[in-house]
Amino acid sequence: MSDHALALPALPAVAPRRRVDHDDRAALSLVGPIAVLMLLLLLAPTAAMIALSLTDAELGASTITFVGLDAYRDVLGDRTFLISAKNTALYVAIVTPASVGLGLGFALLIEAGTELRGFFRSAYFLPVVSLITAMATVWQYLMHPAIGPINLLLHVVGLPSINWLGSSDNVLGSLALIGIWQQTGFDMVLFLAGLGAIDRTLYDAAEIDGARSAVDRFRLVTWPMLGPTLLFVVTITMINAVKVFETVMTLTQGGPAKASEVLLWTIYQEGFVFLHLGTASAMAVIFVAVLLVLIVFQTRVMDRRVHYG
Amino acid sequence: MSGLPESFAAIEGVEPARLELDGVSKSYGETTVLDRVSLTVARGEFVALVGPSGCGKSTLLKMVAGLEFPDAGHVRIAGTDVTDVRAADRDVAMVLQSYALYPHLTARQNLALPLVMRRLTGRQRLPFVGRFLPGTRAQLAAIGADVEKAGRALKIDHLLDRKPAAMSGGQRQRVALGRAMVRDPRLFLMDEPLSNLDASLRVHTRAEIVDLHKALGATTVYVTHDQEEALGMADRVAILHRGRLLQVASPEIVYRDPSRIEVASFIGSPSIGLIEAVIDDRGRAIVFDRPIAEGFAAQAGATVRVGIRPEHLRIGGHDDAILPARLDRTEFLGADALAHLRLPDGAPIVAKATPEIYRGFVPGPVGLAWNAADLLVFDAAGDRLRPRFDAATVTAERAHV
């Protein structure tokens, strides 16, 4: 026994080390391909964007100089960019609560109903699968100040007609309306999935505990149980709203008088129309940074409050 | 109240309610789940509702709770017809099988919830605003005290500020039990409350629920698929099979004197051995050309099934046996042992005795014997056939090994 114990330290220490090397190599060969792909496809473009944002790069220009944070200073002092940021924030602030709320409402109605559930589900989901660029022409017609059916309808009931897309006071609201129309169905489908995952016996328990009204049951079971879904839906909806572009591109081109100038449109103009790659990259970096902050806030702070397991 | 655990003695009894089910039926489309079930549970009585899975026992319990409504028949609680009254208005407490605790609330909030729902008005329950309405504070304080009391009674007072996710299965079960008893229910329903617990905890909690029932005095309906649980806990056992109530009687009666073959096979573990026999012209039940029981009024040539409990089946020599059989193997279970046997036609049958009796038994031909008085005979339709006179003496002499 003691002989054996004494003999142990004398054993060559090489064997285990070789084993570790072998494991390391196996691990590297397994992780390697995806790590390279991630670097090339996900991280490199972002790095390139950040690098470009520190230069005065212009498409077609022969020279490129490092200008440090100049582009950021320009961008943050640029009136158009500030209007654009404010408009985008406003657009997000309208579209997110409205489409999340409507999506939840429709999901609850569909879940509570017995007939035609499949039909309603598909109907509300249609705007999500339809091509927004194509549907924009329909909206242009609907919102046309003179021949648009919406204004005709308003006229019939005796209300004054509204210049939906042509007035700088209305244009952002009109675009938000289209955004809500487009997003609600998506949110609804996510909520339907969340509602379906709620343990039915909790409603039995609520009923026995004396939750008489639908409001009581909603407050006691549905709302808290939907927490994780709600967090996800709000995050997705905000990201989608921040990325508004197609409707602006096809319907208003940022106008009138920059009233529908939004971030992606401004970046697009800067990069692809004015060919200011450096400035556009700086805007894009700011754009991504703002999105990241939003997402991190939601997942870190809110997550703790909606997951109970 | 002597003999009860200290903590339960503090619980005040309530006025228990009498429960009556009168011809209750329910079907979903073509499937009949419950077929004219009538059952009366006396005030303060503990009735176990047992049956194989899918027999409709949970549906029946939900009907008593008001979570399901019958197609026909009536439910009466304390003499009041509540057939169409919803659960929230029935003042019935229920422990659901999965416990159904609210995962976002602490144990304390879970326990308080039924009281908050019942004692506070809708306006008082409003977030923020409600707290400042007259009376809310006093009510909440009273609720808090009641919750503390229930927590102490169930020995979960140290868990009250935990959420369900941070508790073990047994702890959650106690919280679920607490949520049901905290409002002094007059009718207490439990849907397989022990099925998610491990074996040792189950036996322990079984005793606690019986103690709790004694302390509360509430009328209790307890659903389980575990016949042992039903026999051990209940004053009376109700056996439900394919939506029909077959027998309601004390545990001893349903075991010793079942009225239907389904009751005989469901109650008892291992289950009763059934041998098919034919009645001859002298009223004897004949199996493999041997009479094994006699004194039946059934028509000659009628097929009957003779049931014998494992513990009544004796294994002995070949000569004085009532039936020859083959011993396949014996199984040691600690206090008991089982002998797995085959009848001449190959049908399996099980005998149970203390391990000493089976010591030294080797597989091979054996003889089976029993006391005729222990036999339970059923006709082809499954109804119990009772001998016209006590035939025990006749066959018993042959049976002695």
Side-chain angles (χ1 to χ4, degrees):
Chain A
M1 181 72 191
S2 59
D3 282 351
H4 190 69
L6 283 172
L8 264 178
L11 279 169
V14 181
R17 168 149 325 155
R18 192 179 290 156
R19 178 63 187 271
V20 167
D21 284 352
H22 179 77
D23 282 355
D24 282 356
R25 225 173 297 139
L28 270 178
S29 69
L30 286 171
V31 173
I34 189 64
V36 169
L37 278 177
M38 278 184 72
L39 264 171
L40 277 179
L41 298 177
L42 303 175
L43 300 179
T46 315
M49 180 177 74
I50 295 172
L52 271 179
S53 73
L54 302 173
T55 68
D56 65 347
E58 276 185 40
L59 214 59
S62 51
T63 57
I64 181 167
T65 33
F66 179 81
V67 295
L69 296 174
D70 279 4
Y72 289 90
R73 202 180 311 124
D74 289 351
V75 165
L76 291 175
D78 180 30
R79 208 179 68 90
T80 308
F81 183 80
L82 294 179
I83 291 173
S84 170
K86 194 198 77 188
N87 284 343
T88 309
L90 194 61
Y91 179 88
V92 171
I94 299 170
V95 170
T96 306
S99 50
V100 169
L102 284 173
L104 178 59
F106 288 134
L108 287 172
L109 286 176
I110 289 175
E111 183 76 4
T114 48
E115 281 167 55
L116 294 175
R117 287 166 73 159
F119 168 75
F120 285 121
R121 229 185 336 229
S122 319
Y124 286 110
F125 199 64
L126 268 180
V128 183
V129 292
S130 61
L131 296 169
I132 189 64
T133 314
M135 291 309 285
T137 57
V138 176
W139 279 103
Q140 190 165 37
Y141 164 67
L142 287 172
M143 291 179 162
H144 192 280
I147 58 158
I150 302 180
N151 272 355
L152 291 180
L153 208 70
L154 287 177
H155 182 72
V156 168
V157 298
L159 290 167
S161 45
I162 294 168
N163 192 356
W164 294 97
L165 295 166
S167 131
S168 55
D169 290 337
N170 298 339
V171 66
L172 202 62
S174 304
L175 289 176
L177 215 61
I178 302 173
I180 293 163
W181 170 83
Q182 193 195 358
Q183 186 65 32
T184 297
F186 189 62
D187 292 354
M188 178 205 70
V189 167
L190 294 175
F191 277 126
L192 275 176
L195 286 173
I198 297 177
D199 182 2
R200 296 285 111 188
T201 59
L202 284 177
Y203 289 101
D204 283 350
E207 173 77 28
I208 287 167
D209 286 341
R212 271 179 198 74
S213 65
V215 175
D216 280 340
R217 282 194 300 278
F218 181 80
R219 270 176 53 191
L220 187 59
V221 180
T222 313
W223 182 251
M225 293 302 105
L226 269 184
T229 311
L230 181 76
L231 174 68
F232 178 70
V233 172
V234 169
T235 310
I236 282 285
T237 307
M238 280 182 84
I239 292 174
N240 277 348
V242 171
K243 294 196 308 194
V244 59
F245 179 71
E246 290 103 323
T247 43
V248 176
M249 173 78 194
T250 48
L251 293 174
T252 66
Q253 306 267 310
K258 295 193 195 296
S260 64
E261 188 86 31
V262 291
L263 280 177
L264 271 193
W265 171 253
T266 312
I267 295 173
Y268 163 79
Q269 288 264 302
E270 200 64 24
F272 291 88
V273 179
F274 308 136
L275 303 179
H276 296 153
L277 282 190
T279 331
S281 298
M283 287 179 177
V285 169
I286 295 169
F287 178 80
V288 170
V290 169
L291 265 187
L292 270 180
V293 167
L294 279 178
I295 295 165
V296 167
F297 167 78
Q298 282 181 336
T299 45
R300 283 284 160 78
V301 180
M302 296 305 290
D303 211 44
R304 233 173 291 147
R305 300 182 50 189
V306 295
H307 283 103
Y308 315 110
Chain B
M1 298 266 268
S2 62
L4 292 178
E6 190 84 7
S7 53
F8 289 168
I11 300 169
E12 293 149 37
V14 279
E15 186 63 26
R18 173 188 163 97
L19 168 70
E20 288 164 88
L21 296 169
D22 184 7
V24 167
S25 297
K26 177 85 181 174
S27 35
Y28 296 107
E30 294 287 291
T31 350
T32 305
V33 183
L34 291 171
D35 186 9
R36 286 159 293 162
V37 173
S38 292
L39 170 69
T40 302
V41 181
R43 292 173 41 180
E45 195 181 18
F46 191 128
V47 167
L49 210 53
V50 284
S53 53
C55 71
K57 53 193 192 296
S58 285
T59 310
L60 190 62
L61 197 70
K62 282 187 166 182
M63 261 171 212
V64 177
L67 297 170
E68 297 264 4
F69 298 94
D71 299 334
H74 295 278
V75 180
R76 279 184 283 270
I77 296 174
T80 317
D81 193 323
V82 293
T83 312
D84 300 318
V85 177
R86 56 186 291 194
D89 297 322
R90 276 193 197 187
D91 191 22
V92 164
M94 184 167 176
V95 179
L96 293 149
Q97 186 176 1
S98 58
Y99 312 147
L101 298 175
Y102 308 108
H104 60 292
L105 301 180
T106 62
R108 188 188 302 281
Q109 291 166 316
N110 265 289
L111 287 183
L113 200 101
L115 300 180
V116 169
M117 281 295 169
R118 267 153 226 277
R119 294 190 195 165
L120 297 186
T121 62
R123 234 179 264 154
Q124 284 176 316
R125 277 189 276 114
L126 282 179
F128 309 115
V129 191
R131 230 171 294 166
F132 303 104
L133 288 175
T136 314
R137 262 165 205 283
Q139 288 282 21
L140 284 178
I143 289 170
D146 285 356
V147 168
E148 286 284 342
K149 201 171 80 180
R152 274 196 304 275
L154 286 168
K155 300 193 196 77
I156 49 169
D157 34 349
H158 61 293
L159 300 171
L160 284 179
D161 291 312
R162 283 199 209 165
K163 286 187 179 171
M167 293 183 216
S168 71
Q171 292 169 336
R172 275 180 232 176
Q173 199 267 350
R174 299 179 87 82
V175 175
L177 214 54
R179 185 174 64 176
M181 62 168 259
V182 72
R183 61 189 159 96
D184 299 331
R186 49 185 191 154
L187 183 57
F188 210 147
L189 309 176
M190 297 191 221
D191 190 1
E192 311 223 11
L194 307 182
S195 61
N196 291 332
L197 302 182
D198 59 59
S200 63
L201 199 55
R202 207 176 302 162
V203 172
H204 176 73
T205 315
R206 212 149 83 180
E208 285 198 326
I209 289 180
V210 172
D211 288 339
L212 184 65
H213 168 252
K214 281 188 194 146
L216 278 173
T219 311
T220 303
V221 182
Y222 185 101
V223 160
T224 176
H225 67 273
D226 183 346
Q227 44 101 13
E228 214 176 285
E229 235 170 78
L231 295 181
M233 298 170 77
D235 297 329
R236 282 194 303 155
V237 178
I239 296 106
L240 205 59
H241 183 82
R242 294 197 179 159
R244 299 183 60 185
L245 201 54
L246 298 179
Q247 190 171 11
V248 188
S250 72
E252 202 162 330
I253 298 284
V254 293
Y255 185 75
R256 290 193 194 287
D257 195 13
S259 62
R260 289 279 309 175
I261 194 162
E262 295 88 350
V263 176
S265 5
F266 186 74
I267 302 286
S269 171
S271 49
I272 195 167
L274 290 167
I275 307 169
E276 202 153 289
V278 177
I279 300 289
D280 71 357
D281 49 10
R282 287 158 62 193
R284 301 179 304 176
I286 307 291
V287 181
F288 310 120
D289 298 329
R290 294 169 185 238
I292 59 165
E294 51 191 57
F296 296 104
Q299 224 179 348
T303 309
V304 296
R305 272 171 292 177
V306 178
I308 175 135
R309 296 268 180 215
E311 64 270 28
H312 294 147
L313 201 56
R314 287 196 305 274
I315 305 172
H318 214 62
D319 327 318
D320 48 0
I322 303 172
L323 269 188
R326 254 194 91 75
L327 176 67
D328 278 354
R329 62 194 175 88
T330 57
E331 195 178 329
F332 174 75
L333 296 178
D336 298 318
L338 301 181
H340 295 273
L341 303 140
R342 278 182 193 285
L343 296 172
D345 64 351
I349 192 164
V350 178
K352 185 164 104 175
T354 53
E356 294 74 54
I357 290 179
Y358 294 155
R359 189 169 295 147
F361 274 37
V362 285
V366 290
L368 296 182
W370 54 76
N371 293 332
D374 292 330
L375 294 182
L376 302 167
V377 183
F378 302 90
D379 68 14
D383 279 320
R384 179 80 178 280
L385 275 183
R386 292 167 205 275
R388 278 173 304 176
F389 58 90
D390 187 8
T393 46
V394 186
T395 12
E397 278 165 28
R398 295 193 54 194
H400 278 297
V401 183

